[in-house]
Structure formats: structure tokens, C-alpha cells
Amino acid sequence: MKEKYYITTPIYYPSGKWHLGTCYTTVVCDAIARFKRMCDMDVFYLTGTDEHGQKIEKVAQEVGIDTKLFVDKQVSTLIDLWKRLDISYDKFIRTTDSYHEEAVQKIFNKLYEKGDIYKSEYEGWYCTPCESFWTKTQLVDGKCPDCGREVELTKESSYFFRLSKYQDRLIDLIEKNPDFLQPKSRQNEMLNNFLKPGLQDLAVSRTSFKWGIPVPFDEEHVIYVWIDALTNYITALGYMSDDDSLFRKFWPANLHMMGKEIVRFHSIIWPAILMALDIPLPEKVYGHGWMLLGSDKISKSKGNIIDPIVLSDRYSVDAVRYYLLREIPFGSDGIYTNHAFLSRFNADLCNSLGNLLSRSCAMVNQYFGGTLVKGTTKTQFDEDLLNSVDSLFGKVEKNIDKLLIPEALQEIFNVVNRANKYIDETAPWILAKDVAKKDELANVLYNLIDTLRVVGIVLLPFLPQTARKILADIGVNEPTLFENTVVSGKSVEGTVIVKGNALFPRVNMEKELAAMEKMAQETEQKKVEEKKVEKTEVVTTEVAQTAKKEINIDDFDKIELKIGKILTAEKVEKSKKLLHFTVDTGDRVRSIVSGVAKYFTVEEMIGKEVIVVTNLKTATLGGILSEGMILFADDGDSVVTVEPSKTLKAGSTVS
RNA sequence: CGCGGGGUAGAGCAGUCCGGUAGCUCGUCGGGCUCAUAACCCGGAGGUCAUGAGGUUCAAAUCCCAUCCCCGCAACCA
């Protein structure tokens, strides 16, 4: 009986914005899943989408599309993306799938009957126009974060999950099973910030929106994300359905992989739900770092291409997979820059790997007419090379088990580099000049092809297309298992070796960087235009957020805008973002606090003329009274002041 | 004193737990080679291991103490 392996990504929220970060988790899981399959394990790899909730409902309404149609559309682009990236998931779950909805209702019932879910009141701030509840921390200056209007403290009836009941068991879990939550830094984070201070019961239903799974015995309520989304890991296996054979076979999960931002839900709420259901806990929850957008020295933060489709179109899917798998170290963040991407591409994929294949195949063709011959005359360098080939798989396997993905790839490339060195050591072109050395030459070339065979096979889980191309060129059938294939000496004499096209065509760094920057700018331009023109057609939640409701002239007339002259400016102590200004607005000198310390120095602000909202209700920021607001323009990358085109008297009106 | 992570060669990082010649990748410079995708191989230069003529020690990047700086999260972004 095969050993089972169940691995999951989180289910993604279909907001329509998929970029490198979204791909990272999925590609890593894919590599692991493929690897385990080739280790002869029975693998189940799950991914999917979390489609319910207010945000989706609202966006769909605004566009006037049926909510289900809206998510269908979003999901299909995601599935296309996974196809593009060669993601080999075994199942794609959608929380709108009927089997999931039914199972969630049963789970909710079970917890309710057990007494772990109870009805009570949920206190929050309610924004009537938006029909939304907000917690105190979500409020912006005590107002609705969406529309900025007043909110009122309201009680809403809600079902609660007894999270507090499981607090001690959760602390135990994390403290006594250091393997459960990885990397270790997350353990402290969870213990110190959430578990030790005490857990509160969790509101698991809402009445403020309808786009969700109804509470089975109370139609007013829909089940909130916690129980709806997290349970996908078991409902996907048929838990609580007529056929739960997969559940019995694969649960508990061996690995829940996710970004560090949602570790909290998976290491606290999810185990608590499982405890309440009396189901075994997953073996491991792993919160990986993020792929951050770095900044190339020259181009600042601009011009980095983060659209995986664009990158894979231009440089191949495996170039993208390789970068993702190679650049994010265990437990911390990786940085994406065009330069780093191209650097990896050229140095590793083109120069080391591609060129090794190219030169090896070329020599077999040149010296032996393209037929593999196994010589018997060994060289003094054989042993070292073959040792590195024979020990490769073990090293990679060890790293994969510890989730050290970049290190696993490093091991593979170490062998590639060793092989390149072997060519130099044995100098086949010299052997070729001496007829007496023909057998030794055959041996050298055999060892090279044999090394490429093992490298190709071990690369299959990581770079499937590349690995297949390598194997095809050297006439090897793609194996389904590692067993018996990842040791030296298994190449078959007489195999036809082809010298095919370059695996990865080397790029000119400077030209390519310039081209990428240009592409990025064009994409950016397009995005801006799309936002302007297609407000109704292509909708993402992002667009919905930036577009404000229409107002009439009277609304606008309520705002008093004046030209002000900045007299003094200083940083607000204890705050990173706040600057404190005194501004002459004609009528008087005002104290104004703005959150722009990141963008301006104190010196450059003094003496500037700016536009000020002078009839804004005063507020206290960073302990300082702010009597108005200075207008700034923001394009997402930079923030600038808005100034009159020529100097005016302070107090001049703006309308 | 909010929580956490970090400061090691031009860039990105390892080494720190368990003190003992400071290492890897990229870049750079020089050499070699010509099978190969101007690729490959070898070698050099480049580091007061944030600071403190701090403490412990025969010995500190590593352990202890103090300080400074950076980055996340939280709070505040009118």
C-alpha cells in the first residue's frame, strides 16, 4: 500500500488580481506534489477559490452581473493561469460548489448541536448606506473605511464559535509540537500576540450580506468565512458527504502551505474547528515569506514586471517557476527585481544548464554521429562526477522534506556545474584528435549524457517542460518514478542523441532590462486607461474601491478650499508618517497634520503654497490638533503636492 | 521601553544554537580553453563580520552588556 500525501494551498479570493505572489504558494506546492508522486506516494494536491462574502457580492452588484457569473469568470482566469504554470492539482474546490455548501451546513449543525456554536450578539460599528459592520480597528478616524461616513455602534445577532474553549489545547499544540507550525518564528508570533493574551469567541455568521451559505436553521444568517472557507480542506475530500472515502484515505493533511499573513487562521482557528469536530489535526502548517517587489537601483521601484503571464510569455513558464522556487528562502521574504530575474535566467538556466546540454549533445553528434557509446576506459575525474550524481537525489529529497526548496534546486545545479567542470578536466576535443583515445572519449561523453539524464529526471517536479526537453534530446523516456532512475549508469548504449534548439536562449542584460521597463510602463499605461474607460466591463475589487459615488454640485459646494502657505513643518515624534505644519490660510494660521512624512522632507515643504480644505472638522493626530487637510496627488507610486500655477495670496479660494 | 525580523566584500545571502584560519552566488579584474548559447574552467582583488580601544575567554561574526540604524506588523495615515 502506497504512503499517502495530502498537500494544500489556501483557497484564493477571486478578486481578479493574480500576480507573482499568488503564484508562489501554488508553484511551491506543485513542485512538492510532483516530487512526492515520483517518490511513489499517493498524492492529493488541493487548491481552489473562496468565493463568498460581502466584497464579492457588492462588486458583482455594482457591475450588474449575477454574482455567480461574476465569480465564474474570475475563476476561469485563475484556472487558465494554473494551466499555464503547469500546476498539477488533483482537485480544484470552489466554495460555491454544492457539495461544499451542503457539507458546511452539516458541519455548522454538528458544532451547534455540540454546543460549540451558540447564538449571541455581535457588537460593531454599522454604516447604514454601506450596510456593513466594522470592528473598532477597521474604522478610519471613527468612520466607515469604505465611504467615510458616520457609523453607529450597533448590535447584530450572530452565531459564535467557542474558540476560547480551545485556548489551552492550542497553546499546548504549538508548544509541544514544534513541527506543527513552521517556521519557528511564527510560533512565537502566535503565542505572544494571540494565544497567551487570550482568545475570544469568534463570530461565525453574518446578517449583513446574503452571498454565502445560509445557516441551515436560521435563514437570516449566512455562514461567515471561517467555517465556510477553512473547511474546504476536508469537504474537498468528501467529509460529511455520501462518499467520504477520500477523506478517510487522505486526512489528516500532511502540509497546509500558505503565506505568512494567514498563518493565524490556520494555526489557531482551523485546529480549534477540527478539535471541535473531533477530527485529527494536520501534520504541518507552513507560513512562507512573500515575494516582495524590490527596487532596481537605477529604475527605483518602477518597471518591475510582476505579471506572471507576461513573464512566462517572454521567458517561458519554467523561467518563472525557477525564479519563484529559487528566490524565496525558508522563513523569510524574497525580493523580485527584473535584474535578479534575468540574472538567474542567464546564469543558471542558459549558461549552466542549457549550455551543458548543448555542448554535450553537440559532441556526441560530432564524434559519434549522435549515437551513445559506453566506453570502458575510465578517467581520473569519473569518480568525483559520478559520486555527485549518485548522491544528488538523496540531497534533494532531504531538502524537500525540510521545505528547503531553493536549497534543493541548488543541489541540482551543483551537479550541473560539476559536469561543466568535468568537460574541462577531460577535454574531449583533445581526446577526439587521438584515435587511440576513442574509447576514453566515449566514456566521457557517456558520463555526461548520463549526468544529464539524472539531472533531467530530478528536475521534473520543478521544471517539467525543461526536464522533458532535456530527456527528449538525450532519448530518454520520461519516468514516472525516481526509483531505479536517479543513479548513474542507467543510460542505454545506442540511444540517439539529438542536438536540439537551445533550452533557454541567453538574453542581453542591458537591452532586456530596457525592454522590460518599457513593457512595464506600457502595461501601467493600459491599466490606467482601463480604469478610466471600462469601469463597467472588467471589474476587479480594486477598481470598485477607487471609484467613488457620484455627487452633485451642492455636495461639492460644501467643501471650502483655500490657498495656504506653509510656514513651518516638523516631524511628529513617535510617528513615522506624520508631518506637522503651520499653514497661513489668510483668515488665520492653522495647525495641520498630514501623513506624508514618507514622501517629503521638512525642508522642501516650508514655503510651499498648497490647497487646503479649511472647513473640515478638526481632529487630533499623533496628539496634535489638525485644523484642515492639505491636498496631495497620489498615483500609487509617488505623492506630490498640488500647487497653484503662480503665486497667490494666502486665503485665495479654490473652486 | 508595543511585537517581531535584520545589519557579514559592489549586490543578494550562509556562517551565530554547539566560540578556534570568514564562506557561497552574482558582478568585477586577470588567465586558460575552443566541445558549447561571447558560453565553460582556473585564479585575483574586494570584508575593522552596524557601533562601543565594552565584558567573559588562551581565542568572539559567534556568548554577555549597552547603543545606533533598517524592514515588517500594530497604532496613526483629515
Side-chain angles (χ1 to χ4, degrees):
Chain A
M1 171 99 171
K2 283 188 185 181
E3 200 180 331
K4 67 92 184 169
Y5 192 83
Y6 181 30
I7 180 172
T8 70
T9 73
I11 46 178
Y12 302 106
Y13 204 67
S15 63
K17 230 195 150 191
W18 320 115
H19 51 76
L20 275 185
T22 324
C23 300
Y24 176 66
T25 318
T26 314
V27 168
V28 168
C29 287
D30 182 64
I32 297 171
R34 286 173 183 271
F35 191 88
K36 296 290 181 186
R37 285 189 199 109
M38 289 186 70
C39 290
D40 203 17
M41 289 173 113
D42 204 342
V43 172
F44 197 85
Y45 173 21
L46 177 72
T47 188
T49 44
D50 163 26
E51 305 179 14
H52 289 128
Q54 187 172 31
K55 210 167 171 179
I56 295 279
E57 180 179 65
K58 220 170 127 183
V59 176
Q61 265 170 15
E62 275 168 25
V63 204
I65 299 182
D66 176 72
T67 318
K68 183 65 163 67
L69 282 177
F70 174 76
V71 290
D72 282 352
K73 197 176 151 194
Q74 300 288 9
V75 168
S76 81
T77 68
L78 186 63
I79 289 177
D80 286 347
L81 177 60
W82 295 157
K83 265 188 202 144
R84 171 71 74 94
L85 290 177
D86 279 329
I87 304 301
S88 65
Y89 55 78
D90 293 290
K91 186 177 176 92
F92 188 102
I93 185 172
R94 302 181 55 178
T95 54
T96 51
D97 289 337
S98 58
Y99 69 87
H100 172 76
E101 299 193 336
E102 284 162 25
V104 166
Q105 288 189 323
K106 286 182 190 163
I107 288 168
F108 199 92
N109 263 333
K110 183 171 173 183
L111 293 175
Y112 185 70
E113 280 161 20
K114 197 185 165 195
D116 273 339
I117 285 180
Y118 61 94
K119 194 171 187 178
S120 180
E121 278 181 332
Y122 169 83
E123 197 177 70
W125 275 259
Y126 190 69
C127 175
T128 315
C130 293
E131 298 177 14
S132 315
F133 260 96
W134 304 101
T135 62
K136 194 179 175 185
T137 50
Q138 284 176 315
L139 295 180
V140 176
D141 193 33
K143 292 178 183 167
C144 174
D146 261 12
C147 67
R149 277 176 285 218
E150 297 288 340
V151 291
E152 39 184 316
L153 188 61
T154 319
K155 283 181 181 170
E156 183 190 39
S157 103
S158 172
Y159 288 89
F160 282 81
F161 172 63
R162 282 190 206 283
L163 187 59
S164 57
K165 177 176 160 189
Y166 296 95
Q167 178 170 325
D168 294 341
R169 282 177 68 185
L170 289 166
I171 292 176
D172 257 24
L173 170 67
I174 290 177
E175 284 184 340
K176 294 188 181 157
N177 299 290
D179 278 345
F180 172 72
L181 176 57
Q182 286 285 328
K184 206 179 167 218
S185 55
R186 308 272 166 250
Q187 296 171 19
N188 300 329
E189 222 170 298
M190 292 307 124
L191 286 168
N192 295 335
N193 292 334
F194 303 106
L195 287 167
K196 296 265 170 82
L199 292 173
Q200 301 206 330
D201 287 351
L202 192 68
V204 291
S205 78
R206 287 297 137 98
T207 53
S208 51
F209 61 93
K210 288 274 165 271
W211 181 241
I213 304 170
V215 170
F217 45 83
D218 189 341
E219 288 189 354
E220 291 290 298
H221 291 255
V222 295
I223 297 171
Y224 196 51
V225 62
W226 312 122
I227 291 187
D228 179 359
L230 288 168
T231 53
N232 88 86
Y233 301 128
I234 49 178
T235 64
L237 299 177
Y239 177 71
M240 288 276 197
S241 78
D242 296 337
D243 178 7
D244 67 352
S245 55
L246 285 175
F247 176 75
R248 278 184 277 117
K249 178 169 179 184
F250 286 106
W251 192 258
N254 298 74
L255 178 62
H256 287 316
M257 178 74 82
M258 75 210 63
K260 61 187 182 184
E261 75 281 5
I262 49 172
V263 161
R264 195 176 123 208
F265 313 136
H266 286 79
S267 61
I268 296 177
I269 299 176
W270 178 226
I273 292 174
L274 290 169
M275 286 171 184
L277 290 170
D278 283 319
I279 298 177
L281 303 182
E283 194 179 303
K284 193 189 283 288
V285 169
Y286 181 74
H288 62 70
W290 292 336
M291 180 59 79
L292 300 174
L293 264 193
S295 53
D296 286 345
K297 266 243 158 115
I298 308 148
S299 62
K300 290 279 155 60
S301 65
K302 289 193 171 176
N304 284 313
I305 297 178
I306 49 163
D307 186 334
I309 301 274
V310 173
L311 282 175
S312 65
D313 274 348
R314 197 173 173 91
Y315 306 100
S316 82
V317 168
D318 281 354
V320 176
R321 285 179 64 111
Y322 184 70
Y323 189 81
L324 291 172
L325 294 169
R326 186 70 181 73
E327 281 307 296
I328 295 199
F330 185 82
S332 53
D333 298 336
I335 294 172
Y336 174 85
T337 64
N338 286 341
H339 189 272
F341 179 86
L342 293 178
S343 184
R344 281 275 172 229
F345 182 78
N346 265 354
D348 296 356
L349 297 178
C350 307
N351 296 352
S352 298
L353 180 62
N355 188 40
L356 176 65
L357 177 71
S358 176
R359 64 200 304 211
S360 303
C361 292
M363 285 190 283
V364 177
N365 275 274
Q366 221 163 306
Y367 305 140
F368 291 92
T371 306
L372 189 62
V373 179
K374 189 171 187 173
T376 50
T377 313
K378 304 297 175 198
T379 78
Q380 57 171 311
F381 306 106
D382 292 9
E383 196 185 336
D384 197 40
L385 174 72
L386 297 180
N387 278 344
S388 78
V389 170
D390 286 326
S391 61
L392 174 61
F393 176 73
K395 288 176 182 168
V396 172
E397 187 180 34
K398 221 180 213 169
N399 280 317
I400 290 293
D401 284 341
K402 286 191 262 177
L403 299 175
L404 300 175
I405 314 292
E407 287 78 358
L409 282 167
Q410 179 66 57
E411 291 296 348
I412 299 176
F413 278 82
N414 283 345
V415 173
V416 171
N417 293 333
R418 184 64 194 83
N420 271 320
K421 186 171 173 174
Y422 178 79
I423 297 182
D424 239 67
E425 291 166 337
T426 55
W429 51 90
I430 293 176
L431 298 176
K433 285 177 186 156
D434 187 345
V435 187
K437 299 261 174 85
K438 186 102 181 174
D439 185 68
E440 189 176 340
L441 176 62
N443 168 61
V444 165
L445 295 185
Y446 178 89
N447 285 338
L448 283 172
I449 296 299
D450 201 41
T451 301
L452 278 164
R453 181 183 55 81
V454 173
V455 164
I457 292 170
V458 178
L459 268 179
L460 276 166
F462 307 95
L463 311 177
Q465 291 180 17
T466 303
R468 270 180 221 128
K469 168 89 163 61
I470 293 173
L471 295 177
D473 279 5
I474 59 171
V476 174
N477 292 326
E478 181 185 340
T480 51
L481 296 177
F482 286 126
E483 206 180 355
N484 289 326
T485 62
V486 287
V487 285
S488 63
K490 299 272 180 180
S491 293
V492 181
E493 217 174 351
T495 307
V496 175
I497 308 295
V498 202
K499 166 122 173 55
N501 298 330
L503 257 193
F504 297 95
R506 187 181 160 80
V507 298
N508 177 304
M509 275 294 241
E510 278 170 35
K511 278 188 194 163
E512 204 57 27
L513 274 175
M516 284 176 110
E517 186 141 348
K518 203 176 154 204
M519 281 162 61
Q521 273 165 7
E522 279 164 10
T523 323
E524 198 56 40
Q525 193 92 36
K526 238 187 244 164
K527 258 192 219 158
V528 173
E529 279 162 19
E530 270 172 20
K531 273 189 192 174
K532 278 184 197 154
V533 182
E534 307 187 18
K535 232 186 84 187
T536 47
E537 214 180 317
V538 182
V539 163
T540 67
T541 48
E542 201 195 18
V543 172
Q545 279 175 344
T546 49
K548 292 187 183 172
K549 280 188 184 153
E550 185 176 85
I551 60 168
N552 59 39
I553 188 76
D554 298 329
D555 289 328
F556 181 75
D557 203 42
K558 290 176 190 161
I559 303 168
E560 183 181 75
L561 298 169
K562 286 187 178 175
I563 298 295
K565 190 165 183 179
I566 296 181
L567 304 175
T568 68
E570 60 184 15
K571 291 203 89 169
V572 175
E573 294 286 322
K574 290 183 261 176
S575 163
K576 280 180 203 162
K577 298 185 181 169
L578 299 180
L579 286 181
H580 178 210
F581 302 103
T582 53
V583 184
D584 179 3
T585 50
D587 51 343
R588 61 192 168 99
V589 174
R590 292 160 186 268
S591 158
I592 297 180
V593 182
S594 300
V596 292
K598 220 165 126 186
Y599 309 101
F600 301 99
T601 63
V602 164
E603 294 73 29
E604 68 179 312
M605 291 305 289
I606 295 175
K608 271 201 176 178
E609 296 209 314
V610 291
I611 300 172
V612 180
V613 182
T614 49
N615 64 337
L616 191 69
K617 190 177 168 187
T618 60
T620 310
L621 298 169
I624 298 167
L625 183 70
S626 182
E627 312 165 288
M629 172 167 86
I630 299 173
L631 300 189
F632 294 92
D634 178 0
D635 70 349
D637 283 328
S638 51
V639 170
V640 298
T641 54
V642 180
E643 299 175 66
S645 51
K646 69 174 197 179
T647 307
L648 289 176
K649 234 181 5 189
S652 305
T653 57
V654 180
S655 59

